[in-house]
Amino acid sequence: RAKSAGGNRFELADPEADARAITRHGLTTALPAALDRGEFFIEYQPLVHLGDGSVRGAEALVRWLHPQHGVLGPDRFIPLAEHTGLIVPLGRWVLEQSVRQAREWQERHAAAGPLRINVNLSPCQLTHPGLVQDTVDILEREGLDADALCLEVTESALIGADDDLLKPLRRLAEMGVDIALDDFGTGYSNLANLRRLPVSILKLDRSFTQGMQQFPADPVDLKIVEGIVSLAHSLDLAITVEGVETGAQAEQLRILGCDTAQGWYYARPGPPERLHELALVDATG
Ligand code: C2E
Ligand code: MG
Ligand code: MG
Ligand code: MG
């Protein structure tokens, strides 16, 4: 692999890097039309209560059905959409679809309790002046309670955040929208800083869950998660864990006092009908 010390000259001489750059360029220019043509779709991954195993809602995860490349995950195109600004209309579309979907789940499965929807926000959406009004409009138009919506923001997006950045999140939180700190534990956040943020949920990053794969888990990992859980609860924050792949992980995280879990052990991200089935089984059985 070519060293980057030489600048562009070396990168152009690397055919793989070249191909990647061409693909990136192609995807970037195809993005706006893709939104118009309806090539994006959303998969939903259930959020499960660790105490009783019930489905409480789902996280919306966007995908792109590209006519040549097939299904592309968000890691392939969200950074490009952020770079070009398309993330604002794309993010608004994801929010609207997800809120509509949550409303439909609630109507069809009243017995399962008010199912909630989690939607990821990119840092560019946070700084976009329309965020609060767009969210209010969508909730109103689709008829969903603000309480049923959770917006996920990564820890790194809020590091060093000043008041201007936090203001829209505060307004949303005041309306009843939950704000979750996504991928928690991967950034360098000052834990004391948490008190300043209008956040009500910590989503513990998958890297912590991975340390619980064996039973018994790595004692150091256990101590770290135990510490984070007790800190979170003392600040009145709920803990959601990402990337739960085994029953052993689920059990240890439940014993540690985590509140909600998400991962392949329960369900992979899937079409909205899948949540109907899971929530229905749950409510009746
Ligand atoms: P995230 O918000 O941290 O989402 C969790 C990621 O972990 C998802 O990857 C999910 O499919 C994956 N995952 C869930 N359970 C497991 C498990 O048990 N094991 C493993 N190994 N992985 C698991 P995905 O769908 O590829 O999304 C990647 C990231 O893309 C998301 O990370 C989020 O930051 C971003 N993203 C997704 N949808 C949107 C969106 O609509 N807007 C924005 N701005 N970002 C999005
Ligand atoms: Mg997320
Ligand atoms: Mg996450
Ligand atoms: Mg993550």
Side-chain angles (χ1 to χ4, degrees), residues 4 24 40 47 102 131 203 259:
S4 57
R24 250 195 328 270
F40 294 102
L47 289 154
L131 175 67
K203 289 194 79 172
D259 302 290

Coordinates of all heavy atoms in Angstrom, one line a residue, residues 4 24 40 47 102 131 203 259:
S4 N 1.2 7.8 2.2 CA 0.6 9.0 1.8 C 1.5 10.2 1.8 O 1.2 11.3 1.4 CB -0.6 9.3 2.7 OG -0.2 9.4 4.1
R24 N -16.4 6.4 -5.2 CA -16.9 7.4 -4.3 C -17.5 8.6 -5.1 O -18.6 9.1 -4.8 CB -15.8 7.9 -3.5 CG -15.9 7.5 -2.0 CD -15.0 8.3 -1.1 NE -13.7 8.8 -1.6 CZ -12.6 8.1 -1.5 NH1 -12.6 6.9 -0.9 NH2 -11.5 8.5 -2.0
F40 N -33.7 4.8 -1.7 CA -33.4 4.5 -0.3 C -34.5 3.8 0.3 O -35.7 3.9 0.0 CB -33.1 5.9 0.4 CG -31.9 6.6 -0.1 CD1 -32.0 7.7 -1.0 CD2 -30.6 6.2 0.3 CE1 -30.9 8.3 -1.5 CE2 -29.5 6.8 -0.2 CZ -29.7 7.9 -1.1
L47 N -35.6 -2.8 19.5 CA -35.0 -2.5 20.8 C -35.8 -3.3 21.9 O -37.0 -3.2 21.9 CB -35.2 -1.0 21.1 CG -34.3 -0.1 20.2 CD1 -34.9 1.3 20.0 CD2 -32.9 0.0 20.8
A102 N -43.7 4.3 12.8 CA -44.0 4.1 14.2 C -45.4 4.3 14.5 O -46.0 3.5 15.3 CB -43.1 5.1 15.0
L131 N -34.0 22.0 11.8 CA -34.2 20.8 12.5 C -35.4 20.7 13.4 O -36.2 19.8 13.3 CB -32.9 20.4 13.3 CG -33.1 19.1 14.1 CD1 -33.2 17.9 13.2 CD2 -31.9 19.0 15.1
K203 N -26.3 5.1 24.6 CA -26.2 3.8 23.9 C -24.7 3.4 24.0 O -23.8 3.9 23.3 CB -26.6 4.0 22.4 CG -28.1 4.2 22.3 CD -28.6 4.1 20.9 CE -28.7 2.6 20.5 NZ -29.4 2.5 19.2
D259 N -30.6 -1.3 30.6 CA -32.1 -1.2 30.5 C -32.6 -1.9 29.2 O -33.6 -2.6 29.2 CB -32.5 0.3 30.5 CG -32.1 0.9 31.8 OD1 -32.6 0.6 32.9 OD2 -31.1 1.8 31.8

